Amino acid sequence: MNPLSSTVLHLDTVTRIHGEGATEVRALREVSFRVAAGELVAVMGPSGSGKSTLLTMAGGLDAPTSGTVSVEGVDLATLGNAGRARMRRTSVGYVFQDFNLIPALSAVENVALPMELDGVRSRAARAAARAALEEVGIPELADRFPDHMSGGQQQRVAIARAVVGERRLILADEPTGALDSETGEEILRLLRARCDAGAAGVLVTHEARHAAWADRVVFLRDGVVVDETGADPADVLLESRR
Amino acid sequence: MSSWRLAIRLARRDALRARGRSILVLVMIALPVLAVTAADVVIQTQEVTGVEALDRRLGTADAQVTVPAEGRPMVQRFDPMDGATTVGGKPDPPTEAEISAALGGARLVEERVGSVSYATDKGIGYVEVTEVDLRDPVADGLFELTSGRLPETAGEVVVNDAVLDSGYALGDTLDLGRQNPAPTIVGIADSASLRTAPTAAGPIGSLGLDARNGASPGWLAEGGPVSWDAVEALNTMGALVLSRAVIEDPPPASEIPEELNWDSGDDSMVAAVALIVVMALLEVVLLAGPAFAVTARRQARSLALMSATGGTPAQSRRVVLAGGLVLGGAAAVLGVVLGIGAGWLLLPVVQRWSSHWFGPFDVPWPHVAGIAMFGLASAVLAAVVPAWIAARQDVVAVLAGRRADRPPSVRSPILGVVLLGIGVAMAAYGAAAGSGSGEFLIAGSAIVAVLGMILVVPVVVAGVARAAGRLPLSTRYAARDAARHRTRTVPAIAAVAATVAGVVTLGIGLSSDEAENEGTYTPSLAMGQAAVTGYDLRPAAWDELARVVDRELPGATVTPMTGVGGEDWVDLQEPGGSAPLLDEMSVGFGSSMLVGRSVPDLVPGIAAADRERAAAVLADGGVVAFTDHDVAGDEIELMAGERGTTIRVPAAYVRFQDDTYPTLAAVASPEAVERLGVDVGTVAVAVAGADVSTEQEQDVTEAVAAVNPNAGFYVERGYQAEENTRIVQFVLAALGAILMLGGTLTATFLALSDARPDLATLSAVGASPRRRRSIAASYALVVGFVGALLGAAVGFIPGIAITYPLTAPAYTDTGPYLDVPWALIVGLVVGLPLLTAAIVGLCTRARLPMVARLD
Ligand SMILES: Nc1ncnc2c1ncn2[C@@H]1O[C@H](COP(=O)(O)OP(=O)(O)OP(=O)(O)O)[C@@H](O)[C@H]1O
Ligand SMILES: [Mg+2]
């Protein structure tokens, strides 16, 4: 795997400052890192260290105060709001800790949402959504509404939505935070499988056990990357930090 | 299109999920739609339009031809009832044969329509009569026989129940007065058009209709359709024609004669309707606004997720707007369907109150479509601001679970203040413009001012929250919460404010109008006095009148008043002066010069000292002359009308007090009139010393009319506020209260459901369940009080302005009158918010939610 040749996400000296003067908060300070296709990168760090902020930068939901964020070689700053929205519809998938799904839409509709928003015909979008649900192993839940699903099932649907179509970048912010460990492992297995199939993934997590699924781990503290494991197995690195 | 489909699907599902809120919006929008639709159906049905009324007016005839005595040639609109006049005035009306010839030899059946007086069990009444051969098939449909038979000879008539109710029965003779026919009632028949008024019908001559009582010769024509050309030909001959063919299929509007081609669409009417629609729309939008604001907030996470998966702001906006479309559409359909049903159910009830027979059930579809559009538009408009705010929400913040409105923008309050300024300027300009264009400027200023006020509300709410620091916990919490969630608070406050502003404006207008009426009222008699007046009465009639009053009002002093009468009159002149003593006067007591030894007590506006002075002069054989300016002399010249006698007698000049309108020129002593040699007789009957009740007044009036229709009875009761005004004021207050209650209640309960998580937190830290009640009541108080205060302030702008065109008409020097109904305003600003808060406090469940549930 050559990370340089197929970089999907590239953050270059990204800084994000909230507020001004006395209330200024530096959520990220000159953070740089790359994620290549087929790679799953775990981001770890204490609460308030800027992990979620990093993900919102990567998905173009928020813009850095300085530095550049590129997805598939395109600088998000040059895209404009509409372009970034299109990118989220077609290239980036998000999975959050909980409340990932729109309660008024059934599972298959939730998965089809980005395609429908992109103007894909409803039938084609649903077909793709059913395929994605099949991939995450819950085809039978397609017509259920989120209110009638367990947390783990909801997260599977969320992952199906994050991968539906030809998504190249999956951003997951503590996707297992609200689940028991066994269910959490299954979710991570799904993410891992998706990355093995060629997508790039960023996984924010608290748990070292989950970071083991990743190819690499990035440590944040107070908005700064304090450590980064190379191609080393994650647990070796974790051991050394303790 | 496809993105709208997604938006509508989301909106529909959300509407079903949040059933309570959806029902609230449905009711708020469907109710006005229902009410207006029902009213429209009733109005359209009771209104008998041209074509519907044809059978009622024509029977089976093809045309109705009348020859008014105005002369030829005439011009008319398609329906001569809508307008007709002579343009030449030459006499010699067409004969029946000429008319028939002009209609191509049509068969003519004579028909006369008019009204005559008849004797009732109470006195004299009027009956609408038609003289036509009812047995002729051409008259089919004019009257419907319900019992008895149709008249066959000129001595027979049919009447309706109203005539029977006034003291007649089948077989009786109808008493039409001495010189008229006395036909026998042989049947009971309802007129096709008049329902409650007394009606009678019989052959020509049976009811004594002729030129004396204003009936013109007329015919029902049968002999094929009558074209507009034929109508015009008959117009030239001096006749007017109601042609079935012309009404059913009217010629182009350009055919209407120039003389009668006025613009039937009244501009001011259109403007008034437009104003009412705008105000109603504003009110509904503001009332429904909080519901959409809360809905949009509940959707905040869904919308943020949509953004995270690549939805654009436009798509988020559409989802919220689609909520308006879905609920507005459903409410419009529901309102229209129920409205038509309600109209149908109401018809029999309304018919009972109406004097006319209604037409066939009539649903005015174009109107109904407009009303439905109104419902849809109000819902969509109510969703516009929440949609706009939802599209601009901070996605990252919402996803992170933080929520609050953005800080208030500075620009909109400034725009609001500017609008308020424009409103004040428009109102002032309208007040200066006076009646005519002024009203519309002022009404426009009301809308501008209310819009400006809405933009200022956020700042006021923020100010209240800041000032709430020292208030008790519940009030402080409510004020802060109101300020934090402006999207739902502002429309609620604005709805209350707009209502109060409207009520205050109308209230000021109404009571000022009332103040004008009271201020410009001129009594005809001294307070508490009564009089019988009349014209063309013989002395015997006066005696009879005095007797009748004496009988009806035992204990009253009944005094015949003598005055100069008959063919005679007397001119008064100050010796050496040339100006008239009175610029204007109206004869109040049958003669401008009364004869007697004193100024009668019932003449209003005379000071006691003047009365003594007058009595002294009259004892001396002199004359009391009334003036509207100071005259110093003590003699007067009297000239007896046509006889030319001129005499000079001692005089007292007396001015009426307090702007009393002169009802009398002079009182002369008997000696003075004797020297003049003019006729003297009874001219009126004074009634004093009786506290006449309204029922007694009614009885005396009927008894007096029975003696002679030219006589009347009047009791001076001073200024009487019109019953209508009081009813309108009450309705206004009630409507304001309902709207205010509705606006505050919905806003409060929406706020409570929106504030669930916060209340859960409160309960977790140990707040007692009663706290929820006091918070709800406080929130209602904040919304109601701030809204009412702002609304009352804004309402004063057009309210004061409208008094100018209303109470200071250009042609008088009185007014403007300004009377602010403080009781109403204090009730609105202080009473109602407290009442609403109390109701909210009582209706709120005293149970705090135990879990913070997000959805
Ligand atoms: N809109 C904002 N305004 C001000 N400060 C903010 C804002 N958003 C985030 N921050 C601050 O930025 C820092 C990073 O926040 P972030 O949510 O990225 O942390 P995190 O690592 O995801 O924490 P956690 O593990 O608790 O989710 C925090 O100190 C936070 O307070
Ligand atoms: Mg986080």
Side-chain angles (χ1 to χ4, degrees):
Chain A
M1 225 184 295
N2 181 351
L4 286 177
S5 64
S6 58
T7 299
V8 176
L9 172 68
H10 182 197
L11 276 75
D12 189 8
T13 56
V14 167
T15 301
R16 177 68 171 103
I17 303 172
H18 289 292
E20 269 173 41
T23 60
E24 183 181 283
V25 180
R26 286 169 179 264
L28 286 181
R29 301 183 213 193
E30 305 198 334
V31 170
S32 300
F33 81 94
R34 290 167 186 272
V35 185
E39 196 180 22
L40 178 60
V41 177
V43 177
M44 298 187 70
S47 185
S49 57
K51 307 182 295 290
S52 296
T53 307
L54 188 141
L55 278 204
T56 60
M57 298 289 140
L61 283 173
D62 192 8
T65 313
S66 69
T68 55
V69 180
S70 316
V71 173
E72 303 196 284
V74 182
D75 181 355
L76 294 189
T78 64
L79 278 179
N81 272 326
R84 284 194 287 273
R86 187 175 336 107
M87 182 202 76
R88 286 198 297 276
R89 291 197 296 270
T90 53
S91 321
V92 181
Y94 263 112
V95 182
F96 302 101
Q97 181 170 353
D98 48 15
F99 304 118
N100 262 302
L101 305 182
I102 295 181
L105 296 180
S106 66
V108 66
E109 286 170 335
N110 261 294
V111 177
L113 183 65
M115 299 179 81
E116 274 203 75
L117 288 172
D118 202 34
V120 175
R121 292 260 234 79
S122 177
R123 188 175 305 179
R126 274 166 203 249
R130 275 181 203 280
L133 283 173
E134 193 125 17
E135 231 173 294
V136 298
I138 45 167
E140 72 280 1
L141 298 182
D143 293 315
R144 275 219 213 151
F145 281 87
D147 288 348
H148 304 289
M149 278 188 258
S150 73
Q153 290 168 333
Q154 288 187 29
Q155 285 310 74
R156 278 171 190 253
V157 175
I159 287 184
R161 186 181 62 201
V163 303
V164 74
E166 295 299 305
R167 302 313 171 92
R168 304 293 312 283
L169 178 60
I170 299 163
L171 304 171
D173 195 346
E174 301 186 38
T176 60
L179 305 176
D180 64 67
S181 57
E182 202 169 314
T183 324
E185 291 289 311
E186 276 178 38
I187 297 297
L188 289 173
R189 191 173 294 126
L190 276 174
L191 263 184
R192 178 74 253 178
R194 197 60 204 174
C195 290
D196 289 341
V202 180
L203 165 71
V204 169
T205 179
H206 276 307
E207 292 191 51
R209 199 156 43 85
H210 290 163
W213 290 92
D215 299 308
R216 257 181 326 129
V217 182
V218 173
F219 287 95
L220 279 180
R221 173 161 297 155
D222 295 334
V224 183
V225 180
V226 291
D227 203 349
E228 192 171 355
T229 59
D232 306 333
D235 1 30
V236 176
L237 196 105
L238 284 165
E239 290 302 324
S240 71
R241 278 182 58 79
R242 286 201 185 126
Chain B
M1 195 56 231
S2 65
S3 57
W4 271 109
R5 205 177 310 149
L6 173 68
I8 286 177
R9 190 189 329 144
L10 269 170
R12 205 186 53 228
R13 299 247 178 89
D14 271 332
L16 288 174
R17 281 164 51 83
R19 224 161 263 143
R21 227 176 310 135
S22 303
I23 289 174
L24 190 75
V25 175
L26 274 181
V27 168
M28 258 181 307
I29 293 170
L31 262 186
V33 169
L34 183 155
V36 177
T37 307
D40 201 19
V41 165
V42 170
I43 288 170
Q44 294 298 323
T45 300
Q46 64 90 26
E47 205 174 76
V48 183
T49 52
V51 178
E52 285 169 4
L54 275 179
D55 288 347
R56 299 177 174 196
R57 294 165 68 188
L58 289 178
T60 63
D62 296 305
Q64 181 191 44
V65 183
T66 49
V67 183
E70 292 177 37
R72 69 188 161 81
M74 301 206 66
V75 286
Q76 68 167 70
R77 288 174 72 97
F78 300 140
D79 182 340
M81 289 261 277
D82 292 345
T85 185
T86 177
V87 290
K90 291 189 215 113
D92 61 81
T95 64
E96 186 171 347
E98 283 167 350
I99 291 170
S100 174
L103 291 174
R107 186 171 78 88
L108 294 185
V109 176
E110 190 167 7
E111 182 200 32
R112 293 181 196 159
V113 181
S115 92
V116 298
S117 58
Y118 76 117
T120 67
D121 49 1
K122 296 208 188 74
I124 300 286
Y126 282 89
V127 57
E128 305 294 326
V129 302
T130 305
E131 287 183 349
V132 69
D133 184 357
L134 289 175
R135 288 171 307 160
D136 194 304
V138 84
D140 273 2
L142 295 180
F143 286 85
E144 194 190 340
L145 190 72
T146 53
S147 74
R149 59 174 175 83
L150 288 176
E152 282 162 10
T153 69
E156 296 177 340
V157 291
V158 288
V159 298
N160 69 352
D161 286 330
V163 171
L164 297 185
D165 288 346
S166 57
Y168 288 95
L170 207 60
D172 285 359
T173 323
L174 189 61
D175 183 356
L176 299 170
R178 248 166 296 158
Q179 276 133 43
N180 293 309
T184 308
I185 299 170
V186 298
I188 301 168
D190 280 323
S191 153
S193 30
L194 294 173
R195 200 179 77 88
T196 52
T199 58
I204 299 291
S206 59
L207 290 150
L209 270 187
D210 53 31
R212 270 188 307 137
N213 37 38
S216 343
W219 294 269
L220 291 174
E222 191 183 46
V226 177
S227 69
W228 180 240
D229 285 341
V231 171
E232 287 186 316
L234 277 160
N235 286 165
T236 319
M237 296 162 64
L240 297 177
V241 187
L242 170 68
S243 158
R244 186 184 294 274
V246 168
I247 302 295
E248 279 174 349
D249 184 17
S254 58
E255 287 288 313
I256 298 173
E258 237 169 78
E259 293 84 349
L260 302 169
N261 199 4
W262 54 77
D263 198 359
S264 52
D266 195 337
D267 274 355
S268 58
M269 185 69 189
V270 172
V273 169
L275 267 174
I276 292 172
V277 169
V278 169
M279 280 312 253
L281 195 63
L282 196 63
E283 189 68 41
V284 175
V285 165
L286 290 174
L287 280 175
F292 285 103
V294 170
T295 304
R297 195 201 309 285
R298 286 294 180 84
Q299 288 174 326
R301 180 145 189 121
S302 293
L303 296 179
L305 283 170
M306 261 180 66
S307 288
T309 46
T312 59
Q315 284 167 326
S316 298
R317 201 158 46 227
R318 249 170 252 163
V319 171
V320 180
L321 279 179
L325 270 179
V326 167
L327 288 176
V333 171
L334 196 73
V336 161
V337 169
L338 292 180
I340 291 173
W344 187 75
L345 289 175
L346 271 176
L347 275 177
V349 182
V350 183
Q351 173 74 82
R352 220 174 294 165
W353 294 77
S354 169
S355 64
H356 286 76
W357 293 108
F358 291 174
F361 185 64
D362 193 355
V363 177
W365 291 111
H367 290 200
V368 167
I371 299 165
M373 278 313 296
F374 172 95
L376 186 61
S378 57
V380 174
L381 282 176
V384 163
V385 172
W388 187 66
I389 288 172
R392 290 175 65 234
Q393 73 176 350
D394 183 342
V395 176
V396 179
V398 173
L399 287 175
R402 295 189 297 268
R403 50 173 229 159
D405 289 355
R406 287 176 173 240
S409 106
V410 199
R411 249 176 309 157
S412 53
I414 292 177
L415 179 64
V417 171
V418 170
L419 281 178
L420 277 173
I422 294 175
V424 172
M426 273 173 75
Y429 191 72
S435 49
S437 59
E439 290 93 337
F440 293 109
L441 269 170
I442 293 167
S445 83
I447 291 181
V448 174
V450 166
L451 288 177
M453 177 204 69
I454 295 172
L455 293 179
V456 178
V457 172
V459 187
V460 177
V461 172
V464 169
R466 216 164 303 134
R470 256 179 260 142
L471 294 176
L473 173 65
S474 296
T475 326
R476 182 161 22 110
Y477 178 91
R480 296 255 168 85
D481 188 68
R484 252 167 56 79
H485 303 300
R486 284 188 315 278
T487 43
R488 65 169 141 82
T489 313
V490 168
I493 290 182
V496 171
T499 309
V500 171
V503 173
V504 167
T505 304
L506 291 173
I508 292 179
L510 265 178
S511 54
S512 300
D513 199 34
E514 194 59 20
E516 185 204 10
N517 288 344
E518 192 168 356
T520 55
Y521 179 76
T522 53
S524 313
L525 304 178
M527 188 66 184
Q529 305 273 2
V532 179
T533 53
Y535 56 94
D536 281 352
L537 300 183
R538 277 170 299 216
W542 283 115
D543 295 345
E544 174 67 15
L545 285 171
R547 245 195 319 279
V548 161
V549 175
D550 206 29
R551 187 188 67 218
E552 296 284 340
L553 299 173
T557 322
V558 179
T559 333
M561 296 164 74
T562 30
V564 175
E567 301 290 301
D568 283 318
W569 75 93
V570 177
D571 285 329
L572 303 153
Q573 188 66 58
E574 180 192 353
S578 58
L581 292 169
L582 284 170
D583 257 344
E584 45 179 16
M585 69 160 291
S586 72
V587 177
F589 309 101
S591 169
S592 62
M593 181 181 267
L594 294 180
V595 178
R597 291 285 174 206
S598 65
V599 179
D601 285 344
L602 82 175
V603 177
I606 313 272
D610 285 336
R611 282 188 189 278
E612 280 173 27
R613 214 152 49 85
V617 169
L618 290 169
D620 267 3
V623 163
V624 182
F626 299 102
T627 71
D628 51 19
H629 51 274
D630 283 326
V631 178
D634 54 5
E635 287 205 314
I636 195 164
E637 272 176 9
L638 306 177
M639 286 146 289
E642 276 171 354
R643 296 170 202 250
T645 328
T646 303
I647 60 166
R648 193 184 270 232
V649 295
Y653 292 96
V654 171
R655 284 189 66 166
F656 282 103
Q657 291 181 312
D658 310 329
D659 302 323
T660 307
Y661 195 80
T663 47
L664 191 59
V667 180
S669 59
E671 294 84 357
V673 275
E674 198 171 328
R675 281 174 62 196
L676 276 170
V678 290
D679 283 348
V680 170
T682 303
V683 290
V685 175
V687 182
D691 201 3
V692 184
S693 69
T694 17
E695 292 95 67
Q696 282 176 317
E697 183 181 353
Q698 183 70 31
D699 289 346
V700 176
T701 303
E702 284 187 20
V704 158
V707 173
N708 192 305
N710 294 342
F713 181 65
Y714 179 76
V715 182
E716 181 60 61
R717 300 182 189 282
Y719 178 71
Q720 301 283 305
E722 264 184 67
E723 188 90 351
N724 282 351
T725 321
R726 255 182 255 139
I727 293 175
V728 170
Q729 257 162 351
F730 177 77
V731 168
L732 255 184
L735 196 70
I738 289 173
L739 284 175
M740 188 165 167
L741 211 66
T744 314
L745 284 180
T746 52
T748 305
F749 286 113
L750 284 169
L752 281 184
S753 88
D754 197 33
R756 243 188 120 81
D758 306 347
L759 291 174
T761 312
L762 267 181
S763 107
V765 298
S768 77
R770 231 179 316 137
R771 183 62 73 185
R772 180 182 152 103
R773 276 193 174 168
S774 68
I775 285 176
S778 303
Y779 187 82
L781 195 66
V782 169
V783 168
F785 186 64
V786 173
L789 206 59
L790 276 175
V794 169
F796 269 90
I797 300 172
I800 292 178
I802 198 77
T803 62
Y804 284 78
L806 210 57
T807 66
Y811 48 87
T812 65
D813 49 5
T814 59
Y817 290 84
L818 175 64
D819 180 28
V820 179
W822 288 112
L824 178 75
I825 292 174
V826 169
L828 283 175
V829 174
V830 180
L832 265 185
L834 287 175
L835 178 73
T836 344
I839 292 178
V840 166
L842 288 178
C843 297
T844 308
R845 257 179 311 152
R847 192 154 47 84
L848 284 162
M850 298 317 277
V851 282
R853 211 189 45 188
L854 264 169
D855 60 351

